[in-house]
Amino acid sequence: MQGTSGAPVVFGAIESHDGRIVFRGTRLRGQSATVRLADPRAVDPLLDAVATSRIRDYEVTVQVSGRLSDLSVRA
């Protein structure tokens, strides 16, 4: 972090390699997630996350990627 409280500048990345996500009552195992803060002029991070769950007889994988303002979701 740099800048001031009125005009913060944030760079960097946050990564996770294991976790749990609950979406509409369905539990998913988070396999990996990365949030990259690459543009100091806008709070519009790049997100890349993959999670899996067994729903009935199916193994479901969900991938979310892209800028927060324009996410792509694949299942």
Side-chain angles (χ1 to χ4, degrees), residues 4 54 70:
T4 66
R54 177 162 288 286
D70 186 30

Side-chain angles (χ1 to χ4, degrees), residues 4-75:
T4 66
S5 61
V9 176
V10 181
F11 287 106
I14 300 168
E15 294 185 24
S16 173
H17 297 285
D18 189 23
R20 181 177 60 163
I21 300 166
V22 178
F23 180 72
R24 295 187 176 179
T26 300
R27 292 180 186 222
L28 298 123
R29 291 181 310 279
Q31 294 179 332
S32 65
T34 303
V35 177
R36 289 185 187 86
L37 301 163
D39 186 351
R41 294 164 287 150
V43 181
D44 195 16
L46 292 163
L47 176 64
D48 186 22
V50 178
T52 61
S53 183
R54 177 162 288 286
I55 301 175
R56 296 187 188 105
D57 294 333
Y58 301 96
E59 186 74 21
V60 177
T61 300
V62 178
Q63 181 177 13
V64 179
S65 60
R67 293 207 172 270
L68 191 58
S69 62
D70 186 30
L71 285 176
S72 171
V73 178
R74 287 180 257 162

